[in-house]
Amino acid sequence: MKMYDMKKMSHEEHGMNGHHHDEPVEDTEIKSWKKRTLWSWLFAIPIAILMLSERILGVSLVPENYLVMIFLVLGFPVVFLLGWETIRGGIRGLLTFYFNMDSLISLGTIVAYLTGIFSYFGFMADYSGVSAMIMAFYTTGKYVESIARGRASQEIKKLLELGAKNARILKGKEEIEIPISEIKIGDVMIVKPGEKIPTDGIVLKGASSVDESMITGESMPAEKNPKDKVIGATINQDGILYIKAAKIGKDTFLAHIIKLVEEAQGTKVPIQEMADKITSIFVPSILAIALITFAVWWYLGGDLSRALGIGVAVLVIACPCALGLATPTALMVGSGMGAKNGILIRKGEAIQTMKDVKTVVFDKTGTITKGKPEVREIYTKGKNKNYVLELAASLEKLSEHPIAHAIVQHAKLKRYKQVSGFKIIRGMGIEGTIGRKKIMVGNAALMKEKNISFKEFEEKIEGFENFGYTTMIVSENKDAIGVIGVADAVKDDSIQAVTMLNRDGYKTIMITGDNERTARTIAKEVGISEVIANILPEDKAKKVEELQKNGFVAFVGDGINDAPALKQSNVGIAMGTGTDIAIESGDIVLAKGSLAGVVQAINLSKATFGKIKQNLFWAFAYNTIAIPVAMAGFLHPVIAEIAMALSSITVVTNANLLRMKRI
């Protein structure tokens, strides 16, 4: 089911902001069933009190001749107003021979309600109070089910909000600001530090670092120089860029990602499929049994009232409220357990699907790794490590680069050395003077440009790079004195989680846009044998689709670039520490951002689905025993209603036993 009705609006005509989405269907559904449930019980509780007191306890709270009228008046809004959607669906099913749960509910409530009217003519006992009780129980079940299905995701809306709203363009020698929808191909955009790049383009003039993590998922900013391509909605960091617009509207990278997410929506397996298949056979069978029971009793006994009462009892006792509650109650308990463990189940379908997953695919940055660089190793020759780190950190304190933050964070100095003549050398490093010493911190290209020899460090630098480290060389007065290896660190529990998945027979794969060497280094560290590297964001979903040919796939990711793959996979698992769009695209969200949650989610899925199967078994076992008793005439419809309610309570109680399970 599509959760959004998309306005047929051209991106070229209206730009990205012209894309509209209606309110999520599930939000409206939850509110509707909640309202109906509250009103149903407002009328049904007085009926229940009167029924129990007068017909079970023998204490009449109102005069007998007023009782039926009260039942009819209080029952009417429950059955025919609040329950009209169910009644209409059931009648349509009966007329078209497309049977569902509504069919039994409709027939049982209507027949029971009509007995109240017929009782005035003296040839039938009144069972009209039962009708409101049936509908109230059923409405409650539907409300619980609507909550369990989860609220509709709003990932498309969030993606649309990522784009810049306005653009600053150059018209002659004048800078003017226009809405993004008015940008034309060839326009020259001026993007200052901290601003979003309005649309895809090519750098004409200027140099800067651009934070592309929302697209690539990589923590390191990308250096941009003339002729380099840039992507709309990414963030310019520290230099002014003049960019020629190359793509607009539906042709942009962000619009392409939106399209992929839209196409991948609505492909999950409905969790009610098994129950619905059984119900399609069960309901017509019960209708036939109830009709035959009524006919046989009327023919043999000649008592229309008794025959009809027994027929209604069969319908009521077979009323599949327990069946309707079997799945959502277990889901509700499972969801609650998950929440306590930081596993947020956004889509109930994931519980059914997760147990069948054979392959778990991981994004790298922010999922397996922490998503931000850390100092992993420091190597020096002839100098103390702390001295080298102190020099580097004092310079890096003045830089905004993520690597600079990593070095400063690692040093944790209380006092930094005074730096003068600080300068950023674009794409290579930094330099400055401390005391009378000229200090440089940068890559090999910077050292070569400044004619600084680092031959004695070459072997160590190669070793660092084999580990996937970004290497920064520190020089003092033109002498290389040390190297600092910086890399995105693996999360503390990633190794344990992957080891447990491998042990349990799951195939683990890492997919990343990063280079092969870095990817394999991280994969080896955590125990993943298969690596798919150098993957463009738009190709992640295609790779997942290929893997799905060999079985169900769970994808674990945290970035915007992961959203299509999260939706394409059979179960999308989003890291709660990631972007909003990834979280909204996931079926399951790991609030703590810990991969241990993947293992827990699988265990929770198996335990919850086990309870669903138990509930379905007990629901049908109850019917198997109770229906023959009702057919034999031993169950008054009121007793049948109580028994039916008890079956629902049994199912709910069994579902709550799930809380004792350790995941």
Side-chain angles (χ1 to χ4, degrees):
M1 176 183 73
K2 276 283 181 187
M3 289 184 285
Y4 299 88
D5 294 322
M6 309 305 296
K7 304 280 185 187
K8 294 185 177 179
M9 198 176 274
S10 165
H11 283 286
E12 296 96 333
E13 293 175 10
H14 298 284
M16 292 296 291
N17 294 328
H19 201 97
H20 294 293
H21 296 264
D22 294 330
E23 183 185 1
V25 172
E26 283 92 338
D27 280 357
T28 308
E29 188 182 11
I30 291 168
K31 290 175 185 174
S32 175
W33 282 114
K34 181 180 181 180
K35 193 180 294 182
R36 276 185 270 182
T37 299
L38 291 173
W39 279 104
S40 293
W41 284 109
L42 190 66
F43 291 106
I45 288 173
I47 291 175
I49 293 170
L50 291 172
M51 281 173 55
L52 290 170
S53 62
E54 197 269 338
R55 295 182 177 175
I56 305 300
L57 303 176
V59 179
S60 183
L61 299 178
V62 297
E64 179 69 32
N65 54 332
Y66 290 116
L67 198 59
V68 176
M69 181 57 68
I70 291 171
F71 287 160
L72 289 173
V73 170
L74 291 177
F76 183 85
V78 179
V79 176
F80 296 105
L81 297 179
L82 300 167
W84 174 243
E85 190 178 306
T86 303
I87 296 292
R88 185 178 59 186
I91 292 172
R92 189 187 296 126
L94 291 169
L95 294 175
T96 58
F97 296 99
Y98 181 75
F99 302 108
N100 53 29
M101 287 191 194
D102 290 351
S103 304
L104 281 185
I105 300 295
S106 300
L107 198 58
T109 51
I110 290 172
V111 171
Y113 188 84
L114 290 176
T115 60
I117 297 172
F118 293 145
S119 69
Y120 275 105
F121 299 101
F123 61 87
M124 189 173 295
D126 167 48
Y127 306 121
S128 57
V130 175
S131 63
M133 295 296 293
I134 295 171
M135 189 59 73
F137 272 108
Y138 188 66
T139 304
T140 305
K142 295 297 284 185
Y143 170 51
V144 173
E145 187 181 349
S146 70
I147 295 173
R149 274 202 300 270
R151 299 180 183 275
S153 57
Q154 299 185 46
E155 58 267 25
I156 305 298
K157 182 181 175 184
K158 287 184 180 290
L159 275 173
L160 289 166
E161 289 171 353
L162 288 172
K165 302 296 182 285
N166 298 301
R168 189 185 295 105
I169 66 167
L170 198 61
K171 285 285 185 183
K173 292 185 178 180
E174 187 182 355
E175 292 182 21
I176 63 169
E177 193 166 303
I178 61 171
I180 190 170
S181 58
E182 294 179 16
I183 294 176
K184 295 180 176 63
I185 291 175
D187 281 348
V188 177
M189 304 174 290
I190 303 165
V191 186
K192 296 180 179 180
E195 293 181 343
K196 287 182 180 178
I197 294 171
T199 192
D200 297 7
I202 297 167
V203 177
L204 294 178
K205 188 170 71 172
S208 183
S209 299
V210 175
D211 180 1
E212 294 185 336
S213 59
M214 57 159 281
I215 296 295
T216 64
E218 297 308 314
S219 53
M220 300 292 187
E223 299 295 333
K224 298 295 180 182
N225 295 293
K227 296 185 180 180
D228 287 342
K229 292 180 179 178
V230 291
I231 299 168
T234 56
I235 300 170
N236 182 25
Q237 288 200 322
D238 52 17
I240 297 177
L241 293 175
Y242 290 78
I243 301 165
K244 180 182 176 182
K247 293 178 181 177
I248 58 172
K250 68 180 180 63
D251 296 323
T252 63
F253 187 90
L254 184 59
H256 186 49
I257 292 287
I258 289 170
K259 185 170 179 286
L260 289 175
V261 174
E262 284 180 338
E263 288 175 351
Q265 276 191 4
T267 58
K268 307 297 184 188
V269 179
I271 201 160
Q272 282 295 132
E273 188 177 346
M274 179 171 66
D276 289 345
K277 284 180 180 177
I278 297 169
T279 304
S280 65
I281 300 167
F282 175 73
V283 172
S285 301
I286 292 301
L287 289 173
I289 290 170
L291 191 61
I292 291 168
T293 301
F294 164 72
V296 169
W297 275 92
W298 192 15
Y299 176 75
L300 294 177
D303 186 340
L304 177 61
S305 177
R306 179 157 171 71
L308 196 58
I310 292 171
V312 169
V314 172
L315 284 176
V316 170
I317 203 73
C319 180
C321 286
L323 181 61
L325 288 167
T327 295
T329 48
L331 275 176
M332 286 293 285
V333 175
S335 298
M337 285 181 64
K340 286 183 180 178
N341 288 277
I343 303 164
L344 310 178
I345 300 167
R346 296 192 65 257
K347 295 289 180 183
E349 293 90 338
I351 288 291
Q352 179 175 354
T353 313
M354 191 72 180
K355 67 179 180 57
D356 296 320
V357 164
K358 304 296 180 192
T359 304
V360 182
V361 180
F362 297 94
D363 168 52
K364 179 179 77 69
T365 307
T367 301
I368 292 174
T369 66
K370 294 177 180 177
K372 59 179 182 179
E374 292 182 357
V375 172
R376 303 293 293 275
E377 196 172 338
I378 300 172
Y379 178 77
T380 61
K381 273 194 174 180
K383 295 285 183 180
N384 183 279
K385 283 185 182 181
N386 290 334
Y387 175 74
V388 172
L389 182 60
E390 187 180 23
L391 291 178
S394 295
L395 256 69
E396 297 287 15
K397 185 82 166 61
L398 304 173
S399 171
E400 291 299 317
H401 199 283
I403 288 178
H405 286 302
I407 293 172
V408 171
Q409 185 65 29
H410 185 77
K412 289 187 173 68
L413 299 178
K414 290 182 179 178
R415 301 182 93 180
Y416 293 88
K417 291 183 177 294
Q418 190 73 32
V419 177
S420 60
F422 177 79
K423 183 181 175 184
I424 294 174
I425 304 164
R426 176 70 54 202
M428 290 191 282
I430 55 175
E431 65 178 12
T433 303
I434 296 177
R436 295 183 179 180
K437 296 174 180 177
K438 185 80 170 179
I439 310 298
M440 290 190 184
V441 183
N443 56 24
L446 175 62
M447 299 299 140
K448 287 174 183 175
E449 185 176 288
K450 300 293 183 180
N451 295 317
I452 298 172
S453 173
F454 55 92
K455 192 171 182 180
E456 58 186 343
F457 292 98
E458 283 180 347
E459 187 178 334
K460 194 65 180 178
I461 290 170
E462 186 179 343
F464 277 11
E465 288 176 350
N466 285 335
F467 282 123
Y469 297 171
T470 297
T471 304
M472 305 303 289
I473 303 167
V474 182
S475 75
E476 181 183 63
N477 290 336
K478 297 246 176 187
D479 289 328
I481 59 172
V483 291
I484 301 173
V486 178
D488 191 1
V490 168
K491 289 180 182 176
D492 297 336
D493 60 358
S494 290
I495 297 171
Q496 181 187 5
V498 172
T499 300
M500 291 175 73
L501 289 170
N502 290 335
R503 182 197 65 197
D504 292 342
Y506 291 93
K507 184 178 183 181
T508 53
I509 299 172
M510 186 171 79
I511 189 165
T512 178
D514 211 344
N515 65 75
E516 184 91 19
R517 185 166 64 179
T518 301
R520 291 209 171 275
T521 299
I522 296 293
K524 185 178 179 182
E525 186 176 347
V526 297
I528 294 175
S529 56
E530 188 172 340
V531 175
I532 304 172
N534 297 309
I535 290 293
L536 293 171
E538 62 263 38
D539 291 333
K540 282 188 178 182
K542 291 178 186 174
K543 285 293 180 184
V544 170
E545 192 174 5
E546 287 174 20
L547 292 168
Q548 284 175 314
K549 293 173 184 175
N550 298 318
F552 280 15
V553 174
F555 182 87
V556 190
D558 76 311
I560 288 165
N561 59 307
D562 297 324
L566 284 163
K567 296 301 292 184
Q568 174 62 45
S569 62
N570 299 96
V571 180
I573 303 175
M575 308 302 283
T577 50
T579 59
D580 284 350
I581 175 59
I583 291 168
E584 292 291 341
S585 297
D587 303 302
I588 294 172
V589 177
L590 305 181
K592 298 174 184 175
S594 163
L595 284 190
V598 176
V599 179
Q600 290 178 317
I602 291 172
N603 294 338
L604 180 63
S605 167
K606 289 177 178 177
T608 305
F609 198 74
K611 279 298 174 190
I612 290 172
K613 288 197 290 186
Q614 287 175 21
N615 279 351
L616 292 173
F617 168 78
W618 286 114
F620 285 112
Y622 153 81
N623 280 321
T624 303
I625 296 166
I627 290 170
V629 176
M631 289 171 64
F634 295 127
L635 278 183
H636 187 283
V638 175
I639 304 299
E641 165 62 24
I642 294 169
M644 186 269 286
L646 287 173
S647 73
S648 298
I649 291 168
T650 301
V651 162
V652 172
T653 303
N654 186 52
N656 276 282
L657 291 176
L658 181 63
R659 299 182 195 279
M660 299 170 66
K661 189 82 174 176
R662 288 175 64 90
I663 61 169

